[in-house]
């Protein structure tokens, strides 16, 4: 088609819907309580109705927005800095809490209709450059025979004991893992989200937990301040008295790599690997245990799907950021405890980077949030030179309008000289 024909067709589709959306918005503003949403009508037309969100995306987005996050994750320079947020689907949203206050975590994350809705809520409201599946890093553990639950007020609780060589030997054979059989909901969730992402002109993000983090969670049985059992197993492994830790990490690495591939086959376009407990490892322990296991998982994904970008995020691992240059991932995400300019310097100019605004900034003023966005983008090299994210997840209690301010400023900012 000619440019004139494409423009005419787009206008024919968009303008009637835009008029309808304006009418719907006027009706909503007239009859809804003033406290129905924390963002004002003027600043959040896209969150007032689903129809208005669709129209805004069609009018404002260019053709490259569909894969701008993917291209940035590969290290390509893009027209503007793309943005998504860890825990963007979370309890800071009142719409999310309508589910989390009523249904247990696993029911929400393993019931396709609920998981799909919870994945989409934030994107409808704020228009991030990616939709991430609502799930958990522990979700694939049952494929190895490791049972867990997420208890409100406590967090993950793992009932399967893994403390020695015998316990590791009892776990299921990785070669026999069938994700469609053990986790049948994943294919339905990602398949539906893939269609939603295409219609919304955005990307679909999958994720996995890194081997060390899953091992530590399992060994400790729940969240732990010091990870003493895990560290004792690492020390026993180091002095040769047992190889339970190395064997367990290897088994997890293979399973996680395959799980990442499974997510891609179900529709995910980029995979983030979460080393959530990186702060529990010293640089030496990371080199000896955490790093090789994560490298193996990443290698499995990249060998099978070389064109799908993989992002590696070590929360609390900024003290050994120099050791992450050769993870095998396409991009390194950094936490908020390191200055973005310093992180860029340590990793070097050739390693794509993501991050790293302090999540507590979202409790600040609109001006403070917008300034933090501009500063992070500038220190990363300027607009289009990195993937903006927080340096950890969105915190519970974060004002909803603050997330909108961050996303809007990231998309708006054209650089110091613009």
């Amino acid at each position: 088609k000619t440019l004139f024909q494409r423009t005419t067709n787009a206008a024919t589709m968009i303008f009637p819907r835009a008029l309808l959306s304006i009418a719907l918005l006027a009706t909503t503003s007239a009859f809804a309580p003033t406290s129905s949403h924390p963002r004002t009508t003027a600043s959040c037309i896209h969150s007032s109705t689903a129809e208005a969100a669709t129209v805004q995306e069609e009018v404002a987005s260019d053709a490259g927005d569909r894969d701008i996050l993917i291209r940035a994750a590969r290290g390509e320079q893009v027209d503007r800095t793309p943005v998504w947020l860890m825990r963007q689907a979370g309890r800071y949203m009142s719409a999310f809490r309508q589910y989390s206050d009523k249904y247990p975590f696993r029911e929400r994350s393993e019931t396709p209709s609920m998981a799909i809705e919870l994945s989409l809520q934030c994107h409808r409201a704020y228009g991030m450059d990616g939709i991430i599946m609502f799930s958990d890093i522990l979700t694939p553990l049952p494929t190895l025979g490791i049972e867990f639950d997420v208890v409100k007020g406590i967090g993950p609780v793992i009932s399967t004991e893994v403390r020695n060589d015998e316990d590791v030997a009892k776990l299921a054979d990785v070669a026999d893992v069938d994700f469609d059989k053990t986790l049948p909901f994943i294919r339905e969730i990602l398949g539906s989200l893939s269609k939603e992402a295409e219609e919304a002109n955005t990307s679909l993000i999958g994720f996995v937990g890194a081997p060390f983090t899953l091992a530590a969670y399992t060994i400790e049985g729940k969240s732990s301040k010091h990870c003493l059992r895990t560290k004792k197993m690492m020390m026993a492994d180091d002095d040769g008295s047992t190889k339970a830790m190395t064997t367990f990490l290897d088994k997890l690495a293979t399973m996680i790599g395959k799980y990442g591939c499974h997510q891609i086959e179900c529709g995910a376009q980029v995979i983030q690997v979460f080393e959530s407990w990186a702060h529990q490892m010293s640089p030496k322990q990371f080199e000896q245990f955490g790093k090789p296991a994560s490298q193996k998982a990443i290698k499995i994904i990249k060998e099978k799907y070389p064109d799908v970008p993989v992002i590696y995020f070590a929360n609390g691992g900024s003290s050994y950021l120099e050791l992450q240059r050769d993870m095998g991932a396409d991009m390194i995400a950094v936490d908020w405890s390191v200055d973005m300019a310093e992180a860029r310097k340590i990793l070097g100019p050739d390693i794509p980077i993501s991050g790293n605004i302090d999540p507590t900034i979202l409790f600040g003023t609109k001006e403070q949030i917008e300034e933090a966005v501009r500063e992070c983008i500038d220190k990363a090299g300027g607009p289009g030179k990195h993937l903006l994210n927080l340096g950890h997840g969105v915190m519970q209690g974060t004002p909803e309008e603050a997330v909108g301010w961050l996303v809007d400023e990231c998309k708006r900012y054209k650089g110091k000289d613009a």
Side-chain angles (χ1 to χ4, degrees):
K1 292 183 179 180
T2 65
L3 176 60
F4 176 77
Q5 289 172 318
R6 291 197 300 270
T7 305
T8 301
N9 290 342
T12 301
M13 290 186 292
I14 292 171
F15 289 152
R17 295 173 67 187
L19 289 173
L20 175 59
S21 298
I22 292 169
L24 288 170
L25 180 59
T27 303
T28 302
S29 300
F31 294 101
T34 55
S35 61
S36 62
H37 198 284
R39 299 181 79 184
T40 65
T41 300
S43 66
C44 68
I45 289 176
H46 57 294
S47 66
S48 298
T49 66
E51 181 70 12
T54 304
V55 172
Q56 184 191 31
E57 289 169 1
E58 289 177 348
V59 173
S61 299
D62 62 30
D65 278 359
R66 163 68 166 151
D67 65 348
I68 189 171
L69 184 151
I70 298 167
R71 289 184 287 119
R74 289 187 184 129
E76 299 177 27
Q77 183 171 341
V78 289
D79 295 335
R80 62 170 177 83
T81 299
V83 55
W84 74 280
L85 306 177
M86 290 180 276
R87 290 193 193 143
Q88 64 184 35
R91 287 178 289 175
Y92 72 96
M93 292 189 73
S94 58
F96 184 97
R97 292 194 299 275
Q98 291 177 14
Y99 289 82
S100 62
D101 290 346
K102 187 175 181 181
Y103 302 102
F105 179 86
R106 287 194 66 176
E107 184 175 353
R108 282 179 279 135
S109 64
E110 297 179 13
T111 302
S113 60
M114 281 196 275
I116 292 164
E117 171 61 20
L118 293 172
S119 302
L120 294 173
Q121 287 175 342
C122 53
H123 188 269
R124 292 194 198 109
Y126 308 113
M128 295 87 167
D129 289 303
I131 295 168
I132 185 166
M133 171 179 64
F134 175 69
S135 187
D136 194 84
I137 59 173
L138 304 183
T139 294
L141 286 180
T143 64
L144 296 180
I146 300 171
E147 296 303 323
F148 79 96
D149 199 1
V150 180
V151 181
K152 193 170 184 178
I154 298 176
V157 176
I158 298 175
S159 55
T160 304
E161 191 171 287
V162 178
R163 305 280 170 75
N164 52 46
D165 292 294
E166 291 75 21
D167 293 336
V168 175
K170 292 176 185 176
L171 298 176
D173 189 337
V174 181
D176 298 330
V177 168
D178 183 340
F179 295 105
D180 278 324
K181 182 178 180 180
T182 312
L183 313 173
F185 47 88
I186 292 296
R187 185 173 295 278
E188 184 175 349
I189 292 168
L190 285 172
S192 295
L193 288 177
S194 179
K195 296 175 184 176
E196 294 280 355
E198 184 175 7
E199 291 177 5
N201 200 41
T202 195
S203 302
L204 179 58
I205 305 164
F207 69 94
V208 297
F212 173 81
T213 293
L214 296 194
Y217 255 123
T218 304
I219 294 164
E220 301 299 326
K222 59 182 180 179
S223 184
S224 173
K225 186 176 181 179
H226 301 295
C227 273
L228 190 56
R229 288 172 177 164
T230 305
K231 292 182 179 183
K232 285 181 177 179
M233 283 183 67
M234 286 193 287
M235 288 186 281
D237 196 293
D238 184 54
D239 69 17
S241 56
T242 174
K243 285 301 174 183
M245 191 66 182
T246 299
T247 307
F248 190 25
L249 286 171
D250 188 69
K251 185 181 286 282
L252 285 168
T254 302
M255 183 273 286
I256 290 165
K258 290 184 175 183
Y259 183 47
C261 292
H262 178 69
Q263 289 188 27
I264 293 167
E265 290 155 8
C266 293
Q269 297 171 291
V270 57
I271 299 292
Q272 177 148 317
V273 179
F274 282 88
E275 188 71 272
S276 303
W277 284 13
H279 61 285
Q280 296 287 4
M281 289 182 281
S282 67
K284 180 182 178 181
Q285 289 169 334
F286 176 72
E287 276 197 289
Q288 185 175 356
F289 296 101
K291 182 176 180 177
S294 284
Q295 285 176 318
K296 179 173 181 175
I298 293 168
K299 184 178 180 181
I300 290 171
I301 298 170
K302 294 301 296 181
E303 284 185 344
K304 191 168 185 180
Y305 297 104
D307 295 329
V308 176
V310 174
I311 305 169
Y312 177 76
F313 173 60
N315 180 44
S318 292
S319 64
Y320 46 81
L321 193 56
E322 72 281 357
L323 300 178
Q324 298 172 41
R325 294 192 190 103
D326 59 345
M327 294 303 300
D330 298 89
M331 172 175 273
I332 299 297
V334 295
D335 62 37
W336 59 269
S337 66
V338 62
D339 183 81
M340 175 54 79
E342 181 64 18
R344 174 63 89 185
K345 181 179 177 182
I346 292 171
L347 289 174
D350 299 326
I351 296 179
I353 194 168
S354 174
N356 74 330
I357 295 175
D358 181 346
T360 63
I361 287 291
L362 292 175
F363 290 87
T365 65
K366 183 173 186 288
E367 291 71 24
Q368 289 171 325
I369 292 168
E370 291 175 345
E371 181 182 357
V373 169
R374 294 191 295 269
E375 181 180 279
C376 187
I377 291 173
D378 288 337
K379 287 186 174 182
K385 299 291 184 65
H386 95 300
L387 173 56
L388 188 74
N389 206 318
L390 299 176
H392 200 357
V394 181
M395 298 171 64
Q396 186 175 0
T398 294
E400 292 190 46
E401 66 268 25
V403 174
W405 293 336
L406 184 150
V407 173
D408 291 345
E409 182 62 13
C410 181
K411 290 189 170 186
R412 183 203 67 80
Y413 188 54
K414 304 300 181 185
K416 293 179 179 179
D417 302 325

